[in-house]
Amino acid sequence: MKLDWEDWLIPAKKCLDWFISEMGEEEWSRRRMTVADYFQGLKQVTLTEEDIQHGDFAKKFSPIAIYSDWISWYMYLVESIFLRQGCDDPSQSSRIYPFFAVIGGGIELLKKIEGINEKISTILNEKQNMPDSTLFELTIALFYAKKGYKVIFLEERKDQKMPDLKVSKGTEIFFVECKRFGKTTGYAEEERLEWQRRSKHLFNAMRIQKIPSHADVIFKVPLAETDEFLLGRAFTAYVKSNKINDGSILSNHQIDFRAYPLDIDEFNRKLSNAPSRPNSPQMIYDLLGKFDIQGNYTLLAGPSRIDSINPDDKLFVLNDFYGAVHEVYSAQWESISDESINYKAK
């Protein structure tokens, strides 16, 4: 069933307005600009020849999120729907919009719940910076309230473990502890960093060989147990043995490795017809002819044409679309080691 505008956009805007009113317009302007400044800084990152030859791609792996102020990042994404069309990152916003829509649709009920002011203060606390759990608590509290339960947010205590909610109806009383899975595990984040250390040597090898390429890498052991230069050496050996022209797999006890050249001319034809946001699923699909929503992709592209939406407004970020590139390298990786699977399992 197709959702109408009123089904989620208007409630999401109501939630945003509530948060802004509680935060204060001046404070919101400051924190929103911090979000914009972060991304404006990423736009200015360029790689020197020395960076490339030494495999120093670190700045190219800056996260598309504001780790230091999550709630302001979330609020920016929702606000952009209405004020800055084209400024978005679907992989981030798709998990945020439902919370804002649900909360916005039940604001009047939430405002009547005892302890709500403290919860809103918590979610907007820049220093605490843990909004996900509180967003979840608000939605759970709202579901109980809609079912006719009296709901109370219980105050946290440093000296005693407390549930999050007290809910009651008639003679029934329940204490509710709200638990949700984190977006990623600590191991997954460490593994991502290990991949970055190794992939930069892979991309450097591709550039030295002057072959715009894509590599598929399967790690059979934990990434941290492999040599940091393994992928760069694997690609070089792969090219020298002419495997890159037949698509065969280079395999040992640590990895399975396969690579193939990319058709930049065909890629540029697609970008010319429909410019794409860098590193987006659409760009990966245009480049590779496929996209796995569960896949781990890394793409480095040197643009020769960038189309920007309202580039003179500093609050417009994530608003660049590549219309052509002069070089491009990509990789998809997966770890199938028992340690990786077990530590990332939910």
Side-chain angles (χ1 to χ4, degrees):
M1 182 180 69
K2 184 178 180 180
L3 295 178
D4 293 327
W5 173 274
E6 294 85 356
D7 288 322
W8 72 276
L9 285 175
I10 291 178
K13 181 63 161 57
K14 289 180 178 178
C15 177
L16 173 67
D17 291 343
W18 184 26
F19 288 176
I20 291 175
S21 67
E22 293 296 322
M23 181 183 290
E25 289 283 353
E26 184 175 345
E27 176 67 3
W28 168 232
S29 294
R30 179 189 71 80
R31 291 168 69 173
R32 177 179 57 188
M33 186 55 69
T34 300
V35 172
D37 286 343
Y38 170 79
F39 286 104
Q40 293 293 346
L42 293 186
K43 282 187 178 184
Q44 298 170 11
V45 171
T46 57
L47 294 179
T48 66
E49 186 66 21
E50 182 180 358
D51 291 333
I52 293 169
Q53 293 306 323
H54 287 86
D56 188 6
F57 293 104
K59 291 183 179 179
K60 284 294 185 183
F61 293 100
S62 299
I64 305 300
I66 312 299
Y67 284 18
S68 61
D69 191 358
W70 282 108
I71 190 61
S72 294
W73 168 229
Y74 297 168
M75 292 167 65
Y76 175 89
L77 289 171
V78 176
E79 187 184 66
S80 292
I81 303 173
F82 305 93
L83 300 183
R84 295 174 291 273
Q85 285 77 15
C87 297
D88 187 21
D89 184 80
S91 64
Q92 294 278 329
S93 57
S94 60
R95 70 182 188 88
I96 301 307
Y97 294 162
F99 284 101
F100 275 71
V102 169
I103 292 169
I107 283 178
E108 297 310 315
L109 269 177
L110 282 170
K111 286 182 177 180
K112 295 176 182 178
I113 296 178
E114 183 180 333
I116 186 61
N117 292 335
E118 289 77 10
K119 283 298 173 184
I120 298 301
S121 177
T122 296
I123 203 171
L124 300 178
N125 189 323
E126 186 177 8
K127 293 182 179 180
Q128 184 167 326
N129 195 30
M130 295 179 62
D132 287 7
S133 59
T134 310
L135 284 171
F136 185 64
E137 290 174 24
L138 292 176
T139 58
I140 297 300
L142 183 57
F143 289 145
Y144 276 107
K146 286 182 176 180
K147 294 294 184 180
Y149 286 86
K150 179 182 178 181
V151 182
I152 298 174
F153 288 108
L154 298 178
E155 185 178 355
E156 295 182 8
R157 297 180 182 177
K158 294 182 180 180
D159 60 342
Q160 183 180 353
K161 176 64 177 175
M162 294 288 291
D164 299 304
L165 307 171
K166 177 182 178 181
V167 300
S168 60
K169 181 189 287 188
T171 59
E172 294 182 319
I173 299 176
F174 302 97
F175 291 92
V176 179
E177 177 74 17
C178 301
K179 293 293 184 183
R180 64 182 295 277
F181 289 133
K183 186 165 68 74
T184 59
T185 64
Y187 184 90
E189 182 62 21
E190 292 172 4
E191 191 175 63
R192 184 182 70 86
L193 294 175
E194 294 292 345
W195 162 253
Q196 289 179 8
R197 295 186 184 100
R198 285 149 184 78
S199 62
K200 66 183 181 182
H201 301 294
L202 169 63
F203 294 128
N204 192 40
M206 289 177 176
R207 189 175 185 277
I208 290 173
Q209 295 292 330
K210 295 183 169 57
I211 304 177
S213 308
H214 172 80
D216 290 313
V217 185
I218 296 177
F219 290 91
K220 303 174 186 178
V221 299
L223 273 69
E225 294 181 9
T226 64
D227 186 280
E228 183 176 320
F229 298 91
L230 173 65
L231 299 184
R233 291 168 179 162
F235 183 81
T236 301
Y238 198 81
V239 171
K240 289 183 177 180
S241 62
N242 204 34
K243 292 181 181 294
I244 196 165
N245 292 317
D246 61 29
S248 59
I249 295 176
L250 182 66
S251 183
N252 62 21
H253 72 284
Q254 292 187 329
I255 62 169
D256 285 340
F257 183 94
R258 182 176 74 94
Y260 55 86
L262 295 171
D263 188 339
I264 288 188
D265 291 337
E266 176 61 23
F267 183 44
N268 278 332
R269 279 193 288 270
K270 293 178 180 178
L271 292 179
S272 179
N273 292 329
S276 182
R277 181 179 281 111
N279 301 305
S280 64
Q282 183 62 54
M283 176 171 279
I284 293 169
Y285 182 83
D286 287 343
L287 180 65
L288 304 180
K290 61 181 181 178
F291 176 76
D292 178 4
I293 195 171
Q294 302 296 332
N296 298 310
Y297 294 93
T298 303
L299 186 152
L300 294 181
S304 54
R305 176 187 136 202
I306 300 177
D307 300 334
S308 297
I309 299 174
N310 202 1
D312 296 329
D313 189 332
K314 193 174 181 181
L315 285 175
F316 273 71
V317 298
L318 300 175
N319 59 327
D320 289 341
F321 296 79
Y322 287 5
V325 301
H326 60 83
E327 60 180 344
V328 63
Y329 315 98
S330 70
Q332 182 180 3
W333 66 280
E334 178 185 7
S335 177
I336 61 172
S337 72
D338 289 341
E339 179 178 311
S340 177
I341 293 172
N342 290 336
Y343 277 106
K344 290 187 294 185
K346 292 294 189 180

